[in-house]
Amino acid sequence: KKIWFLKELHKIIHKAYIRSFASGVIVADYDELSDEQKYAIGSPHMFVSVNCAKLVGEWADRENRQHPILYVFEKGNKDDSALGRLFYTVRPEMKQFYRMTEPDSFAVRDKRNTPPLQASDVLALEVRKEMERRLQEPNDRRKMRESIKNLHIPILDDWSFIEKADLLKIFAN
């Protein structure tokens, strides 16, 4: 029953799918940063949220999409207010890059009242499992997880996984 239910849910998600964006960081790598470095990039949640928004902006640029984009994040993280302040104080040229041209281009919503966030949780779970598999078995040539295939996502789209070397590059300049 569970497999049937997930397949049906995946079909529904696929109908609304335009592009998937995901960003992750290895918490153990983040923990190894200095306090100064952690302060500069914020919490892991803040860092991957901004990185995911960056992936969306880059995609919109490549596709020449000019319409405003609403960034919606799930309510309940301790960084909700800090993330909101960050997005509301973005420089004008970055607002254009992120397509945040509307006054309310950023929102924090309760997923119980926001079905797209419930669907994104399903995708987030599958992405996390796939990323964990790839990290634990980097030379494993197995095909991607069947559950991701069931979502009918032809490629991994814009999925960014930041490892320690990538984190340290931020501070190299």
Side-chain angles (χ1 to χ4, degrees):
K1 285 182 179 181
K2 181 180 176 183
I3 291 171
W4 174 85
F5 174 77
L6 286 174
K7 282 184 178 183
E8 292 301 306
L9 185 59
H10 291 171
K11 287 179 191 175
I12 293 167
I13 292 169
H14 177 65
K15 286 180 185 176
Y17 166 81
I18 297 174
R19 188 105 179 152
S20 64
F21 300 90
S23 184
V25 66
I26 300 170
V27 176
D29 288 350
Y30 174 86
D31 289 343
E32 290 181 16
L33 297 175
S34 70
D35 288 343
E36 184 178 316
Q37 290 170 324
K38 289 178 188 175
Y39 178 79
I41 66 171
S43 71
H45 176 73
M46 291 277 292
F47 181 70
V48 297
S49 297
V50 171
N51 193 57
C52 202
K54 179 180 166 245
L55 294 173
V56 172
E58 289 170 349
W59 166 79
D61 244 12
R62 282 192 313 273
E63 298 292 320
N64 198 27
R65 294 186 178 246
Q66 299 303 318
H67 62 280
I69 296 173
L70 169 63
Y71 292 86
V72 180
F73 294 85
E74 183 179 340
K75 184 178 184 177
N77 188 283
K78 65 180 177 65
D79 293 322
D80 286 351
S81 59
L83 192 59
R85 280 192 305 276
L86 180 68
F87 274 95
Y88 283 119
T89 59
V90 169
R91 295 186 322 266
E93 65 272 16
M94 292 309 294
K95 280 189 185 273
Q96 184 59 41
F97 170 77
Y98 290 124
R99 310 306 191 270
M100 298 178 80
T101 55
E102 301 294 317
D104 296 323
S105 296
F106 172 84
V108 177
R109 302 265 168 76
D110 186 328
K111 76 175 176 184
R112 293 173 292 187
N113 304 322
T114 314
L117 285 178
Q118 295 168 14
S120 69
D121 269 358
V122 172
L123 179 59
L125 174 67
E126 296 302 335
V127 169
R128 193 188 99 230
K129 287 180 178 179
E130 179 66 15
M131 286 181 166
E132 284 175 351
R133 183 185 71 78
R134 289 180 182 197
L135 274 173
Q136 291 167 357
E137 306 162 29
N139 297 322
D140 186 352
R141 300 275 186 234
R142 285 184 295 169
K143 294 179 182 178
M144 79 171 69
R145 294 171 46 80
E146 286 296 320
S147 49
I148 290 180
K149 285 186 202 173
N150 288 340
L151 285 166
H152 303 283
I153 298 173
I155 58 172
L156 293 182
D157 292 343
D158 291 298
W159 293 11
S160 169
F161 196 71
I162 298 102
E163 298 184 62
K164 187 174 182 180
D166 300 320
L167 283 172
L168 294 176
K169 283 180 192 173
I170 294 168
F171 304 103
N173 297 328

